Amino acid sequence: MMSPAPTLTLNNGVQIPAIGLGTWPMNNSDTADAVTSAADAGYRLFDTAENYENEVGVGEGLRRTGLPREEIFVTSKFNKKWHSYDGVHRAFEASTGRLGLEVIDLYLIHWPNPEQNGYLDAFRGLRALQESGQVRAIGVSNFLPEHLQELFDEGLTPQVNQTQLDPTHNRADLRSLHRSRGILTEAWSPLGRDGGLLAEPVITAIALAHARRASQVVLRWHTQNGIVPTPKSGNPRRQLENISIFDFDLSSAELVALSALDVGASLRYDAVAFGH
């Protein structure tokens, strides 16, 4: 088994691995296999959600690894039907039942769904779970600055905001807001979609200069910017490639060149109108 990835410290002192395994859209069987092989490669952060319908697979994979519970960091997220103080507690009980765990390391509101006007109460429910020790860290996913500001106005600050992010959607304004509040930025779809990002000439040139794969360059851009990426892969070779990024550094000029790939393209989903 490979050595685990380094960790970062959340604003409540909890340690989170600097890279994780994404599991959407794998089914339970594929997820269990992916978690098992990823653990062998050194992954300790495993990202799932109620909506992925593979929490059972994550739990099964974790049991197969034989790793001590304290070495594992599990993230899950709950859907909009639970956006209330009591609803979050019911969602938690269902997720822990599927995972076969008593504690979730990071529990997130999956989408803000602002039309429901319920995420403030949901976050208060999260905070109660955290205060009771059932959740170690709490946060949000896909929240825009205006959604975060509503939390701040109520004296509420998440540990994490997980969002779509890659060099072509580098979310500089959102990340700046996160830094000002001590919120860690986590990235879903960190390698883009359909392989287009990895074919960008800037990325392939930097990869050639470092004798690395394009995916490794992109993931290193994330980690050197303090972003925790969660690339999805069920392929053991690719999993190992994705986590083998902490033994080289991109230069300041290379980091700037990668960030310059952001030309303002739209995100995949509109967090005001979309959500589950």
Side-chain angles (χ1 to χ4, degrees):
M1 186 173 287
M2 301 288 289
S3 299
T7 61
L8 300 173
T9 305
L10 299 177
N11 63 24
N12 66 338
V14 168
Q15 299 288 306
I16 183 172
I19 188 170
L21 179 75
T23 61
W24 185 85
M26 292 187 283
N27 62 29
N28 280 313
S29 176
D30 291 343
T31 296
D33 291 341
V35 167
T36 305
S37 58
D40 285 340
Y43 290 79
R44 295 296 182 268
L45 166 57
F46 303 95
D47 184 270
T48 183
E50 173 188 0
N51 210 66
Y52 299 173
E53 298 183 347
N54 61 18
E55 289 172 309
V56 170
V58 169
E60 172 60 26
L62 294 176
R63 287 186 289 277
R64 289 183 194 171
T65 69
L67 288 169
R69 177 63 182 92
E70 62 271 17
E71 293 186 16
I72 297 165
F73 194 100
V74 177
T75 301
S76 195
K77 318 170 194 75
F78 58 87
N79 287 350
K80 64 182 181 181
K81 67 183 288 187
W82 309 111
H83 279 206
S84 66
Y85 184 92
D86 292 333
V88 172
H89 290 74
R90 294 194 295 273
F92 171 83
E93 290 171 2
S95 279
T96 51
R98 290 186 291 265
L99 288 162
L101 300 174
E102 294 183 357
V103 174
I104 293 177
D105 299 285
L106 175 63
Y107 205 29
L108 308 177
I109 301 173
H110 204 156
W111 288 89
N113 297 286
E115 77 286 350
Q116 287 191 168
N117 196 32
Y119 61 78
L120 289 174
D121 284 339
F123 196 86
R124 292 186 181 99
L126 278 176
R127 189 170 61 177
L129 285 172
Q130 185 178 36
E131 289 171 348
S132 70
Q134 295 169 283
V135 173
R136 297 178 63 223
I138 58 177
V140 297
S141 182
N142 303 300
F143 272 45
L144 299 175
E146 57 263 37
H147 307 133
L148 291 172
Q149 189 60 53
E150 287 203 32
L151 291 175
F152 302 153
D153 290 345
E154 296 296 319
L156 305 170
T157 302
Q159 270 85 63
V160 171
N161 185 15
Q162 184 185 105
T163 189
Q164 181 187 353
L165 200 151
D166 63 64
T168 61
H169 304 90
N170 66 58
R171 317 294 295 279
D173 290 347
L174 182 63
R175 287 162 49 211
S176 177
L177 176 61
H178 289 170
R179 284 192 297 272
S180 73
R181 295 284 183 158
I183 300 168
L184 181 129
T185 304
E186 197 170 19
W188 60 262
S189 205
L191 298 175
R193 293 180 56 77
D194 305 321
L197 173 64
L198 301 184
E200 286 280 353
V202 170
I203 295 174
T204 57
I206 293 173
L208 183 63
H210 288 273
R212 296 284 178 154
R213 297 185 66 84
S215 56
Q216 292 176 310
V217 167
V218 172
L219 293 171
R220 192 64 177 126
W221 172 88
H222 282 83
T223 58
Q224 284 187 238
N225 278 295
I227 303 160
V228 173
T230 56
K232 187 274 293 184
S233 179
N235 182 299
R237 177 184 60 79
R238 196 165 299 118
Q239 289 175 346
L240 184 59
E241 287 176 353
N242 287 346
I243 202 172
S244 300
I245 58 172
F246 298 100
D247 57 349
F248 78 103
D249 290 316
L250 302 172
S251 70
S252 297
E254 288 169 335
L255 291 170
V256 169
L258 290 166
S259 295
L261 292 171
D262 191 338
V263 295
S266 298
L267 298 173
R268 185 179 180 196
Y269 300 113
D270 177 359
V272 173
F274 178 84
H276 42 63

